[in-house]
Amino acid sequence: MRRRASAADLATPGAAARLGRRRRRLYTTAALLGGVALASAATGYAVYRGSRPEPYRPGEKLAGITTRLDLALPDDAPDVRFSDVTSEAGLSEFRSFAGASTRQLPEDMGSGAAWGDFDGDGFDDLFVASNGGPLGAPEAERARSRLYRNRGDGTFVEHAGLPEIRILGMGAAWGDHDADGDLDLAVTGYDALLLLRNDGGTFVRDGSIGEHRGFWAGASWADFDHDSDLDLYVCGYVQYQEDSRGAERSTQQYGQAVPYTLNPASFRPERNLLLRNDGRAGFVDVAAELGVDNTQGRSLSAVWHDLDGNGWPDIYVANDVSDNALFLNRGGRFEDASHGAWVADHRGAMGLAVGDWNRDGDDDLFITHWIAQENALYDSMLADMAARGQADGLRFMDVADQRGLGQIALQFVGWGAEFVDLDSDGWLDLPVANGSTFETDEHAPGLRPQHSFLFWNRRGETFHDLSASVPQFDEPRVSRGLAASDYDADGDLDLAIVDRDAGVRLLRNDTPQQNRIALRLRARRGEAIEMTRIEAHLPSAILRRTVGGVSYLSQSSRTLHIGLGDAQRVERVAVTWPDGKTQSFENIEANALYEVLRDEPRLRSVVSWAGATAPLSRELLAEFWRAQRAGMHAMKVERDPARAIASFERALELDPGHADSLYYLANCLAATGDLEGALDRLAEMMRLDPLSHRAHKRWGTLRAMTARDTADLDAAVRALERTAAINPEETGAFLVLGEVDLLRGDERSAGERLARVVRTNPQAGEAFFVLGYLAWERGDRAAAVKRLEQSAGTRGKEWKPAGASAEGDVKGKMHAESTPFEEHYAAWDGSAEPARAFAGLRARLSASGGAAVARRAPGGGS
């Protein structure tokens, strides 16, 4: 048994020495242990510092997360194609912002577009809201909002029946609020909320909406109380305080200095409005009374949708830097289910889309967010809970990360989005418009462009971004609004995107389509169609669509498109109207647009389309491009049209409708003398795409150049006039039409057309040349000489006469004529002497009997 040392023990010298050695050993051991502990702590801290997650900073690229990886796509990925047809459709004059930014919030939010058939002709028209211009700028200097009427031929014309709107505009939504059978228009903006009543195509401002001061964003129509008229929900953003010097103060957003006046958190939230339609008594704001005014949310978008399946439209609200809100409609009253449904998300929410992306029988929510916050895909658990016998409320789960939609968006600011089946495979795809709110340069304010997303839905399993292979999405822009419509009625959904830094883009969908149907609904006079639900029953699935698509500040078509994949028919179409009444139609053939009339027992077929086009496998797609590139090389480099023909024909065996292959094959056939073959290929292009400007122009030109009689010239004129209608701004068709007029002997019309060409295009040398010929034939030698000088002035210093070759140029020339008189213009040596310049052209017209050439001596008596 060990005993404690006593005072006597310690008093002896030996005892003291022994105890001192023991203490020294103890102290030494303690010191060693302490050192080990300190070293361990230091090592642990270093490890922690090296492994702890660093905060994400805007624009930072994180490998495997935010870096855009061009990974190999699945073998069944579609060949998605879009064409930017803005100019030829007549939409290029619209501008979304005029002037220089003063770095204030209302100037950066952008604006949207709304599709709606306001004149009832069956084609969607397009309203584009303009963001106007800088705060404080005179109203007359703001860019104006515009309404474009769809002519039905793929082109638009600005509608003169809209009053001039020069506001700091944001959103728009169509709806027949007065139940007179035509669509009226609500327009929102900074300190602006307008209702435009449609009186037979003339729009007048309707004061029944009342006066409401505020910063108004998204708007959406629905009959929330089932009284058979449309009510309007309007998002209020922030209570903005204008401050021309506010940009000098900055706040921090993700480590970056942002002007105080551009940060929504700098301002209190604005209330939302629920404008109940009381008919002749006008609209009454009942948002506060019904608990949907959302006073704590900075709201940008809201959608009406029956998310819980009880037959009443609910409201989901996307809020910026505040909790999102879900208000469930309980028979005209509302219950706040935001937290209970797990969707009270506190992020910077902008745009919304609703659809059954995974075909599980309930509708889901997609939400775009600000930078570094990912986007959200709220998958509804309603059908799954019902299948398990659970009825304890609506629940959503954010599955964006699991489905390829989350982390990919970290670097981006997302805005407009819409669920659309771009290839008609039966699964909803998801285009997303992106554009930063950060400035490019502190000293030269401008917003950073970003590329947009084009998410293809692979059978409800995951989404793949195809934007890298689609130039219209890959090009960086400062995009905001996005809306979908089959504007050209060819059976696929096209997109309008509003760019804050430019105007509106119309992207025509040229993707090969599988089988599909579209349904246009017609209710009885006085009834709304918003919230009408369609279910298409196939052997393998039930496909759902609902009237009332919204996006950021935008509205998609009210015509519902349903992709069917390889299904040739629909077993049953069930239509549930807003009042709960249903109609059912059996055994519907695919590939047609049908009109659904309320209480009518049959569908009415309006338009039929070609059947499904099976997508190429990746191996065949690669072979197609090898053949296409070989054809281009043979045509442009080798100057061997025969070899090019073989390559283009192989490409068309793999993809029979490819426009480029058809066009270049036609040109090569024409170069080898096979005129009829060339015309046939161009006619096929026109059949596949009635708005193909180049197909109509080339067909008309070839027909004119090889005309055998007046019937051929008449056919050429029809094709060329169609070309001019498709794109009135392009002068090439008018040049050829002027020359055809001369071939027909109509000098007056020829002169008018050619004068138009040179007014529009001062570099149109051939037009000046032919105008000179007309002056010479009139006896006006001075005017003819002036026109020749003008023509020569367009040729530039490097011009050489036709047939001349540069030193060492031993390759043969392959000249493809593009106008009837181009050979005479090309052969002209630049002489200003009319008799010499026009000898060949005069001989040509004299031989053809076209123009009157023998009324006076050659050269007009000179």
Side-chain angles (χ1 to χ4, degrees):
M1 178 178 173
R2 299 185 62 183
R3 63 181 179 90
R4 183 176 298 175
S6 66
D9 293 331
L10 295 174
T12 63
R18 287 193 299 273
L19 184 58
R21 289 193 296 270
R22 188 180 301 153
R23 283 179 175 171
R24 286 195 297 271
R25 285 196 300 270
L26 179 62
Y27 293 155
T28 302
T29 301
L32 289 172
L33 290 174
V36 170
L38 287 172
S40 298
T43 303
Y45 180 68
V47 171
Y48 165 71
R49 282 193 55 126
S51 62
R52 68 175 178 173
E54 292 292 333
Y56 176 75
R57 293 178 175 81
E60 181 181 3
K61 295 185 178 181
L62 304 180
I65 297 180
T66 59
T67 302
R68 191 174 186 201
L69 302 176
D70 293 327
L71 300 176
L73 294 171
D75 288 344
D76 54 350
D79 179 20
V80 174
R81 309 172 194 165
F82 280 89
S83 296
D84 187 335
V85 295
T86 308
S87 178
E88 62 197 66
L91 302 176
S92 58
E93 290 186 2
F94 172 78
R95 288 294 174 267
S96 57
F97 194 87
S101 170
T102 62
R103 308 176 82 187
Q104 299 193 68
L105 189 60
E107 300 170 359
D108 278 10
M109 302 310 295
S111 55
W115 291 103
D117 180 12
F118 80 83
D119 54 2
D121 65 354
F123 292 93
D124 280 337
D125 309 298
L126 182 65
F127 176 82
V128 195
S130 173
N131 205 200
L135 271 68
E139 181 177 331
E141 295 179 9
R142 298 172 183 164
R144 59 187 172 86
S145 301
R146 302 190 186 210
L147 173 58
Y148 291 98
R149 180 174 59 82
N150 190 338
R151 289 170 164 165
D153 60 0
T155 67
F156 295 79
V157 62
E158 186 174 357
H159 183 58
L162 185 77
E164 188 167 84
I165 302 174
R166 294 185 184 271
I167 63 174
L168 305 180
M170 291 195 71
W174 293 99
D176 183 10
H177 89 276
D178 53 0
D180 65 350
D182 52 27
L183 290 176
D184 311 300
L185 183 65
V187 182
T188 69
Y190 175 64
D191 202 21
L193 179 57
L194 310 178
L195 179 61
L196 302 170
R197 187 178 68 251
N198 183 355
D199 286 345
T202 298
F203 289 83
V204 296
R205 297 199 178 191
D206 191 330
S208 67
I209 198 172
E211 293 290 334
H212 303 278
R213 302 293 301 273
F215 190 169
W216 308 119
S220 184
W221 294 96
D223 179 13
F224 85 89
D225 51 4
H226 283 187
D227 65 350
S228 297
D229 55 28
L230 284 177
D231 314 293
L232 183 66
Y233 192 79
V234 182
C235 292
Y237 189 32
V238 297
Q239 297 177 30
Y240 187 73
Q241 301 294 316
E242 296 183 28
D243 185 354
S244 60
R245 299 180 61 86
E248 298 174 4
R249 292 181 289 159
S250 66
T251 58
Q252 291 292 314
Q253 290 181 305
Y254 288 91
Q256 296 205 8
V258 174
Y260 177 90
T261 48
L262 291 177
N263 188 347
S266 302
F267 308 98
R268 297 178 59 188
E270 180 60 87
R271 74 203 186 279
N272 293 354
L273 308 175
L274 175 53
L275 301 174
R276 186 184 66 206
N277 189 346
D278 287 347
R280 293 185 178 179
F283 289 85
V284 178
D285 181 16
V286 295
E289 174 188 337
L290 297 179
V292 295
D293 51 347
N294 193 35
T295 57
Q296 300 305 307
R298 299 169 178 85
S299 304
L300 286 172
S301 302
V303 62
W304 291 102
H305 204 86
D306 182 12
L307 292 167
D308 59 359
N310 70 346
W312 293 79
D314 311 306
I315 311 172
Y316 187 77
V317 186
N319 290 324
D320 194 6
V321 290
S322 33
D323 288 352
N324 291 347
L326 172 61
F327 302 108
L328 297 179
N329 192 337
R330 304 305 190 199
R333 311 295 296 182
F334 290 91
E335 170 193 338
D336 187 342
S338 311
H339 292 275
W342 303 346
V343 291
D345 199 353
H346 188 99
R347 285 186 262 184
M350 276 66 165
L352 281 171
V354 185
D356 186 6
W357 71 276
N358 53 1
R359 305 198 323 198
D360 66 350
D362 48 35
D363 288 328
D364 314 297
L365 293 162
F366 176 79
I367 307 166
T368 58
H369 288 123
W370 200 61
I371 202 164
Q373 297 179 356
E374 303 188 353
N375 292 332
L377 177 60
Y378 283 117
D379 187 38
S380 174
M381 302 166 66
L382 186 67
D384 185 56
M385 293 170 66
R388 296 199 304 264
Q390 297 175 339
D392 57 347
L394 181 63
R395 299 283 188 279
F396 291 85
M397 184 70 70
D398 186 358
V399 297
D401 271 350
Q402 302 171 31
R403 305 302 178 183
L405 299 174
Q407 292 181 350
I408 192 174
L410 276 173
Q411 292 187 89
F412 297 84
V413 181
W415 303 87
E418 186 63 283
F419 279 117
V420 290
D421 187 352
L422 295 173
D423 56 352
S424 300
D425 65 349
W427 298 93
L428 291 172
D429 308 305
L430 189 59
V432 179
N434 293 324
S436 183
T437 56
F438 286 111
E439 296 179 334
T440 54
D441 189 297
E442 182 179 355
H443 304 291
L447 302 180
R448 299 178 190 172
Q450 298 179 321
H451 76 76
S452 292
F453 293 132
L454 188 59
F455 291 114
W456 166 60
N457 182 350
R458 188 171 188 259
R459 297 192 295 274
E461 299 166 357
T462 191
F463 288 86
H464 294 271
D465 180 25
L466 307 183
S467 61
S469 61
V470 183
Q472 295 77 19
F473 284 79
D474 193 45
E475 180 183 1
R477 300 272 188 152
V478 184
S479 297
R480 294 294 187 259
L482 178 151
S485 167
D486 182 12
Y487 80 94
D488 51 2
D490 66 349
D492 52 37
L493 283 166
D494 314 293
L495 300 172
I497 299 178
V498 182
D499 297 324
R500 163 60 179 76
D501 57 342
V504 64
R505 281 180 291 150
L506 180 59
L507 305 183
R508 187 186 64 210
N509 188 353
D510 294 334
T511 304
Q513 298 293 306
Q514 300 190 50
N515 295 309
R516 68 275 195 201
I517 62 170
L519 299 167
R520 180 192 301 156
L521 293 101
R522 301 281 192 192
R524 292 188 295 259
R525 187 179 178 88
E527 292 183 333
I529 67 168
E530 281 75 8
M531 298 300 104
T532 301
R533 187 178 72 250
I534 301 290
E535 291 185 347
H537 292 249
L538 305 179
S540 58
I542 298 176
L543 309 180
R544 302 154 53 90
R545 303 288 187 273
T546 302
V547 177
V550 302
S551 177
Y552 178 73
L553 307 178
S554 302
Q555 181 183 47
S556 292
S557 175
R558 296 147 59 92
T559 298
L560 302 179
H561 285 246
I562 304 177
L564 306 176
D566 59 3
Q568 298 288 332
R569 63 183 64 246
V570 181
E571 294 180 346
R572 182 167 69 91
V573 170
V575 181
T576 303
W577 297 91
D579 60 4
K581 294 181 180 179
T582 63
Q583 287 177 261
S584 186
F585 308 94
E586 309 291 331
N587 199 26
I588 307 303
E589 292 286 341
N591 302 313
L593 166 64
Y594 295 96
E595 193 166 69
V596 183
L597 302 176
R598 178 71 184 258
D599 297 332
E600 289 292 323
R602 295 182 182 85
L603 297 178
R604 185 171 73 89
S605 177
V606 179
V607 178
S608 295
W609 308 304
T613 303
L616 294 175
S617 68
R618 295 191 71 79
E619 291 78 10
L620 291 179
L621 188 60
E623 185 178 348
F624 164 81
W625 282 112
R626 282 194 295 270
Q628 177 72 5
R629 291 181 183 120
M632 296 299 291
H633 188 271
M635 180 181 71
K636 290 189 171 183
V637 179
E638 298 175 355
R639 308 284 183 170
D640 186 345
R643 178 176 294 183
I645 287 170
S647 295
F648 289 132
E649 286 179 339
R650 174 55 184 155
L652 288 166
E653 289 175 8
L654 297 167
D655 189 350
H658 199 279
D660 284 349
S661 300
L662 284 167
Y663 183 73
Y664 293 121
L665 174 58
N667 284 326
C668 290
L669 289 170
T672 61
D674 185 358
L675 175 67
E676 294 306 318
L679 294 174
D680 286 346
R681 298 309 190 280
L682 294 168
E684 177 67 6
M685 281 185 70
M686 292 185 283
R687 186 189 68 79
L688 293 171
D689 179 8
L691 295 177
S692 176
H693 180 275
R694 60 178 176 172
H696 284 90
K697 180 181 175 183
R698 188 65 175 141
W699 193 98
T701 301
L702 283 176
R703 185 75 283 173
M705 291 168 60
T706 58
R708 296 158 295 190
D709 50 34
T710 56
D712 283 349
L713 287 176
D714 291 343
V717 168
R718 287 193 296 271
L720 292 165
E721 288 180 340
R722 175 67 172 141
T723 306
I726 292 172
N727 184 4
E729 299 175 3
E730 201 274 334
T731 58
F734 291 100
L735 172 62
V736 181
L737 280 166
E739 295 184 0
V740 172
D741 285 337
L742 261 182
L743 289 170
R744 302 168 83 183
D746 190 343
E747 295 181 359
R748 181 190 59 80
S749 178
E752 290 173 353
R753 293 193 202 267
L754 295 170
R756 172 176 177 169
V757 172
V758 297
R759 282 197 306 271
T760 306
N761 179 13
Q763 296 301 310
E766 188 172 338
F768 281 118
F769 178 80
V770 181
L771 282 170
Y773 171 80
L774 288 171
W776 186 54
E777 288 298 330
R778 289 196 309 270
D780 191 342
R781 186 179 187 281
V785 170
K786 181 179 179 180
R787 291 299 194 186
L788 286 172
E789 291 172 346
Q790 290 174 315
S791 180
T794 67
R795 284 181 156 180
K797 295 180 180 180
E798 302 302 320
W799 170 80
K800 298 181 179 64
S805 298
E807 184 177 355
D809 183 5
V810 296
K811 291 188 176 181
K813 301 293 181 182
M814 176 182 168
H815 175 65
E817 295 176 332
S818 59
T819 69
F821 299 160
E822 187 176 64
E823 62 177 311
H824 307 293
Y825 174 62
W828 172 48
D829 62 2
S831 168
E833 171 53 50
R836 179 175 173 182
F838 301 130
L841 178 55
R842 190 174 191 280
R844 162 79 176 277
L845 290 170
S846 180
S848 69
V853 295
R855 292 193 298 270
R856 59 183 63 86
S862 60

